[in-house]
């Protein structure tokens, strides 16, 4: 890259690329309309339940009063605090239980000698990621159903069948299990790629020194992919507030709301569920979630870049 | 098979005569490790695979009490699904949305990535920040709904396509890939008089096939599976429900058992048959995904 390029003025750049500027316009237009314009709607959080059903958007907006009531409710209503608690518990459970597993799986897959078997295993294990939550919930409704294999096994072992999908105490575990089934394989790809790029000479040297397999893994493989692990972990924590709307919405039913309702599903119910809607409160809860998320993601990306030089952007 | 492969260690150990005994211990240790590794992976693969067997068996059975083989074998569940007009209509909607949505999104993102891959493109950093903000913050469900509503797109399939055109992650992937391509082909094309549009379609697109193919496949699969947009923007306009939402409604509905019809009594089995049919397109496309995956995604960045 020549020094000349850095010293180009904005005007010169526009002239140089004037035929290319239209290429970026469509993307920016779509982003403006469908991402930035809705951001203006955040103001609805400060309005007392505008009646969008009866009036047109701008008119309904003007007709309702300004208020901070939505935020007062947000920070004091025990129901909402329960939903925030659920969101955090499910998210933390997912991270603590499901984060290490793809790493272990990646190590196992890369230690295979047979390329054919390795490809077969990868093919099987990546597949669930590509199914929709609707399909996965449908499949596991059957697996954990009253007459499904899990309950059949429980009965064979002498226990009583459990209606898993309707049991509040089981709900969060099921969320973790289904999420694990869907994502462990796919999440291991990043680690597989990282392991594949480790210099084989390191292993040769270790073997000559007499290191066992386990020692090689512990002392070479894991430390070498540490940067990848740290980036993934930090970014994952950045998305702490996202417990998985599509998954939880599909799994929830009236029996499991107290342990299962998360912020996302509550926001949806407030605005679009059955019964009367409170658009102001829905937007306020969503805004609260969005801001915390933003702070976490920005913070996570910043820390990740500082520590390892890698981030999402 | 495992022990035979370990013989390679023997060849390289001829020089270390004193360690022959140690070497054979190592071989035994490695075989144990490999055996455990393979066994564990077989179990994990089985855990991934068995749920499919269950769903397939349920689809072919007349009872809910099914493990991994069909009981009271029947094709009736599949027949019920095939005769269900709503099911086929929603599948058609999904195909429409996937084809249009993927084509539009990938084209728009590719064009933007092409422009932004030029290092001295005007306001390049600012524009990237513009897009990254989109990736990390959103107005929320109500504001998004209101915008789509003001545009008159609610209750139409366009609401399933247009709002998801901008996929910043794909933009970043394609841009990284394009930045890694050598510039000579592009230069020689423009010397030959081609304009940017021609360069993009005739030179760059073919050159970035692995990247574009994998991005397109991922976008397509995401569009096929997504039901949130439909849930939010379609309301009760059932005729435009994509397959995902149609199936979700069916799964969450209560059967009218008192009516005594086959459908109401065997709802769980019919659900399973629906699921089986709905995953066939994904299974057909999957080998392609696997093939391009190793080439495309790991070249630029890794999705994770």
């Amino acid at each position: 890259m020549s020094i000349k390029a850095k010293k180009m003025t904005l005007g010169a750049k526009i002239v140089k690329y004037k035929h290319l500027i239209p290429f970026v316009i469509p993307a920016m237009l779509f982003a403006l309309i469908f991402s930035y314009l809705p951001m203006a709607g955040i103001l609805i959080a400060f309005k007392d339940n505008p009646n969008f059903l009866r009036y047109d958007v701008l008119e309904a907006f003007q007709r309702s009063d300004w208020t901070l009531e939505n935020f007062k409710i947000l920070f004091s209503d025990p129901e909402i605090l329960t939903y925030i608690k659920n969101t955090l518990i499910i998210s933390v459970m997912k991270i603590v239980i499901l984060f290490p597993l793809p790493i272990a799986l990646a190590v196992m897959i890369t230690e295979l000698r047979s390329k054919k078997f390795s490809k077969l295993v990868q093919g099987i294990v990546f597949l669930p990621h590509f199914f929709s939550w609707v399909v996965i919930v449908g499949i596991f409704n059957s697996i954990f159903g009253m007459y499904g294999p899990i309950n059949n096994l429980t009965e064979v072992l002498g226990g009583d069948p459990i209606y898993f999908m309707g049991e509040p105490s089981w709900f969060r575990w099921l969320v973790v299990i289904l999420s694990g089934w869907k994502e462990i394989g796919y999440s291991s790809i990043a680690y597989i790629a990282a392991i594949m790029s480790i210099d084989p000479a390191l292993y040769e040297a270790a073997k000559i020194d007499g290191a066992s397999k386990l020692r090689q893994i512990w002392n070479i493989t894991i430390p070498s992919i540490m940067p990848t692990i740290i980036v993934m972990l930090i970014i994952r924590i950045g998305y702490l507030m996202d417990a998985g709307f599509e998954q939880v919405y599909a799994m929830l039913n009236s029996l499991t709301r107290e342990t299962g309702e998360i912020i996302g599903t509550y926001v949806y119910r407030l605005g679009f569920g059955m019964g009367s809607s409170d658009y102001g409160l829905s937007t306020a809860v969503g805004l609260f979630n969005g801001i915390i998320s933003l702070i976490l993601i920005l913070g996570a990306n910043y820390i990740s870049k500082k520590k390892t030089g890698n981030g999402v952007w | 098979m495992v022990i035979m492969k370990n013989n390679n260690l023997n060849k390289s150990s001829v020089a270390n005569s004193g360690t022959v005994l140690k070497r054979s211990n190592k071989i035994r240790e490695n075989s144990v490790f490999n055996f455990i590794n393979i066994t564990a992976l077989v179990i994990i693969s089985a855990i991934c695979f068995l749920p499919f067997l269950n769903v397939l068996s349920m689809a072919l059975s007349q009872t809910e009490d099914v493990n991994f083989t069909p009981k009271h074998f029947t094709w009736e569940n599949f027949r019920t699904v095939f005769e269900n007009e709503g099911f086929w209509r929603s599948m058609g909607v999904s195909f429409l949305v996937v084809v249009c949505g993927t084509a539009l999104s990938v084209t728009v993102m590719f064009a933007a990535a092409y422009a932004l891959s030029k290092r001295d493109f005007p306001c390049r950093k600012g524009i990237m920040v513009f897009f990254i903000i989109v990736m990390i913050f959103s107005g929320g469900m109500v504001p998004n709904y209101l915008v789509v509503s003001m545009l008159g797109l609610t209750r139409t399939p366009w609401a399933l396509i247009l709002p998801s055109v901008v996929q910043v992650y794909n933009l970043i992937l394609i841009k990284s890939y394009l930045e890694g391509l050598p510039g000579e082909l592009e230069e020689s094309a423009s010397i030959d008089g081609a304009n940017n549009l021609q360069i993009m379609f005739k030179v760059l697109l073919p050159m970035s096939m692995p990247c574009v193919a994998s991005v397109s496949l991922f976008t397509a699969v995401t569009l096929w599976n997504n039901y949130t947009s439909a849930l939010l923007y379609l309301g009760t306009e059932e005729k435009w429900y994509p397959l995902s939402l149609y199936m979700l409604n069916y799964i969450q509905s209560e059967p009218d058992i008192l009516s005594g019809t086959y459908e109401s009594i065997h709802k769980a089995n019919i659900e399973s048959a629906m699921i089986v049919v709905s995953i066939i397109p994904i299974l057909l496309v999957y080998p392609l995904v696997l093939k391009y995956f190793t080439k495309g995604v790991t070249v630029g960045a890794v999705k994770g």
Side-chain angles (χ1 to χ4, degrees):
Chain A
M1 187 148 50
S2 67
I3 301 173
K4 254 199 243 171
K6 282 193 176 153
K7 283 195 178 161
M8 271 177 106
T9 63
L10 181 60
K13 289 182 189 177
I14 294 180
V15 167
K16 178 175 178 187
Y17 287 111
K18 70 172 191 274
H19 293 300
L20 212 48
I21 290 177
F23 280 65
V24 84
I25 301 288
M28 291 181 72
L29 259 174
F30 274 104
L32 272 171
I33 299 175
F34 291 105
S35 300
Y36 280 94
L37 189 51
M39 289 185 200
I42 286 170
L43 293 173
I44 297 171
F46 298 96
K47 284 258 166 180
D48 182 19
N49 198 9
N51 195 344
F52 291 117
L53 290 175
R54 193 148 162 230
Y55 303 104
D56 171 64
V57 177
L58 292 172
E59 202 190 325
F61 187 77
Q62 273 157 354
R63 274 173 167 260
S64 63
D65 312 309
W66 291 103
T67 174
L68 283 176
E69 192 65 27
N70 293 323
F71 290 96
K72 285 198 201 139
I73 300 177
L74 169 60
F75 291 119
S76 62
D77 186 330
E79 213 185 311
I80 299 187
L81 294 173
T82 307
Y83 302 146
I84 296 178
K85 186 181 83 166
N86 290 342
T87 306
L88 289 173
I89 293 181
I90 290 179
S91 220
V92 169
M93 276 172 77
K94 276 189 181 181
I95 295 178
V96 166
I97 299 174
L98 300 181
F99 185 80
L101 300 180
I103 302 174
L105 183 63
V107 169
M108 289 163 76
I109 288 179
T110 48
E111 287 293 340
L112 284 177
R113 307 294 198 86
S114 160
K115 253 201 161 169
K116 273 196 182 153
F117 185 62
S118 174
K119 279 197 164 169
L120 179 65
V121 168
Q122 288 183 58
I124 294 177
V125 132
F126 298 160
L127 183 57
H129 167 84
F130 295 95
F131 294 125
S132 74
W133 277 116
V134 178
V135 163
I136 295 181
V137 169
I139 292 177
F140 279 85
N141 269 345
S142 163
I143 302 262
F144 284 102
M146 285 304 276
Y147 305 101
I150 301 282
N151 270 323
N152 287 340
L153 184 64
T154 314
E155 281 181 330
V156 160
L157 295 174
D160 295 317
I162 307 174
Y163 181 39
F164 289 100
M165 288 314 228
E167 200 47 61
S169 53
W170 271 100
F171 187 81
R172 295 178 189 142
W173 293 104
L174 288 175
V175 170
V176 171
I177 290 172
L178 263 65
S179 186
W181 188 76
K182 186 182 207 243
E183 300 296 0
I184 288 181
Y186 187 77
S187 305
S188 69
I189 292 177
Y191 302 115
I192 292 177
I195 293 177
M196 292 301 217
S197 63
I198 299 178
D199 185 357
L202 288 170
Y203 291 106
E204 292 305 323
K207 274 187 211 161
I208 293 174
D209 284 345
S212 71
K213 246 312 161 199
L214 290 174
R215 189 139 284 279
Q216 286 174 43
I217 294 174
W218 190 252
N219 283 13
I220 301 177
T221 314
I222 302 288
S224 304
I225 61 174
M226 237 344 140
T228 309
I229 294 179
I230 292 179
V231 173
M232 298 295 249
L233 180 61
I234 293 178
I235 305 273
R236 181 67 189 85
I237 293 179
Y239 287 93
L240 187 70
M241 298 304 278
D242 180 11
F245 174 81
E246 279 213 353
Q247 175 185 11
V248 175
Y249 181 84
M251 289 174 71
L252 266 183
N253 55 46
S254 49
L255 298 167
T256 47
R257 257 183 231 292
E258 55 170 289
T259 51
E261 186 97 81
I262 57 173
I263 297 177
T265 53
Y266 182 57
V267 166
Y268 175 79
R269 251 195 330 136
L270 273 176
F272 306 93
M274 290 195 259
S276 57
S277 329
D278 191 339
Y279 297 106
L281 187 57
S282 172
T283 310
V285 177
L287 178 62
F288 166 75
N289 197 24
I291 290 190
I292 303 225
S293 246
L294 179 68
I295 295 174
L296 283 173
I297 294 172
L298 283 175
N301 203 66
Y302 176 76
I303 296 177
S304 165
K305 277 197 148 160
K306 270 260 148 144
K307 291 241 143 196
T308 69
N310 290 336
V312 180
W313 63 82
Chain B
M1 178 181 73
V2 164
I3 297 177
M4 267 176 61
K5 287 213 159 113
N6 277 324
N7 276 336
N8 287 331
L9 281 171
N10 265 335
K11 286 186 191 158
S12 64
S13 75
V14 167
N16 304 332
S17 51
T19 56
V20 166
L21 191 63
K22 217 175 163 190
R23 203 59 68 175
S24 72
N25 279 341
K26 276 284 161 299
I27 294 171
R28 203 172 305 132
E29 214 178 84
N30 276 344
S31 334
V32 169
F33 175 85
N34 283 323
F35 177 75
I36 297 179
N37 197 26
I38 293 179
T39 310
L41 283 173
V42 166
I43 293 177
I44 293 175
S45 303
I47 294 177
C48 280
F49 186 71
L50 283 176
F52 292 113
L53 267 186
N54 175 265
V55 130
L56 188 58
S57 308
M58 279 282 282
L60 294 169
S61 309
Q62 285 186 54
T63 163
E64 274 183 60
D65 191 1
V66 167
N67 289 330
F68 302 109
T69 49
K71 287 189 186 166
H72 310 299
F73 190 98
T74 176
W75 291 109
E76 189 66 23
N77 304 315
F78 281 108
R79 208 174 66 80
T80 312
V81 169
F82 287 139
E83 286 176 356
N84 185 329
E85 259 183 61
F87 178 79
W88 290 109
R89 198 196 149 81
S90 64
M91 205 184 238
V93 170
S94 287
F95 266 113
L96 174 78
V97 166
V98 164
V99 169
C100 295
T102 306
L104 186 59
S105 175
V106 174
T107 307
V108 170
M109 290 297 103
F110 191 91
Y114 173 32
L116 292 169
S117 66
K118 301 295 176 201
R119 271 163 239 280
D120 42 352
F121 191 79
C123 305
R124 187 189 192 223
K125 276 211 170 128
I127 298 180
M128 281 314 291
V129 170
F130 173 85
F131 282 116
I132 287 171
I133 292 178
V134 166
M135 199 165 62
I136 59 184
F137 188 75
S138 119
M141 283 187 186
V142 170
N144 274 311
Y145 174 82
L146 291 174
V147 166
V148 173
S149 165
M150 286 198 297
L151 290 170
L153 298 176
T154 47
R155 304 173 83 85
T156 72
W158 292 110
L160 306 179
I161 297 175
L162 300 178
S164 15
V165 164
V166 174
Q167 295 293 330
V168 179
Y169 201 94
N170 292 345
L171 175 66
I172 295 179
L173 270 175
I174 300 176
K175 171 171 159 288
S176 304
Y177 189 87
L178 289 176
E179 281 166 354
L181 290 181
E184 296 89 30
L185 267 167
E186 221 190 307
E187 276 170 36
S188 57
S190 71
I191 289 172
D192 285 345
N195 64 31
N196 284 115
L197 211 55
Q198 288 170 322
I199 294 181
M200 181 172 115
F201 280 107
K202 296 209 172 126
V203 175
L204 285 178
L205 214 47
M207 268 173 81
S208 10
M209 243 332 144
C211 181
V212 168
S214 52
V215 165
S216 302
L217 281 168
F218 274 87
T219 306
V221 169
T222 307
L223 280 172
W224 177 267
N225 288 339
N226 175 277
Y227 72 83
T228 308
S229 316
L231 188 66
L232 200 55
Y233 303 127
L234 291 182
T236 53
E237 191 71 26
E238 287 185 32
K239 72 174 186 208
W240 290 116
Y241 278 9
L243 184 59
S244 47
L245 188 57
Y246 182 85
M247 276 185 17
L248 182 63
N249 279 353
Y250 185 77
I251 289 174
Q252 290 183 335
S253 66
E254 291 297 331
D256 181 16
I257 303 184
L258 295 176
S259 70
T261 55
Y262 182 87
E263 286 83 352
S264 59
I265 300 177
H266 296 98
K267 180 177 180 259
N269 303 92
I270 295 176
E271 237 173 69
S272 301
M274 217 185 260
I275 289 175
V276 169
V277 176
S278 79
I279 63 180
I280 289 175
I282 305 254
L283 292 175
L284 290 176
V285 148
Y286 189 54
L288 273 176
V289 171
L290 281 181
K291 172 178 152 201
Y292 279 109
F293 203 57
T294 35
K295 276 198 237 162
V297 180
T298 42
V299 171
V302 181
K303 248 188 173 140

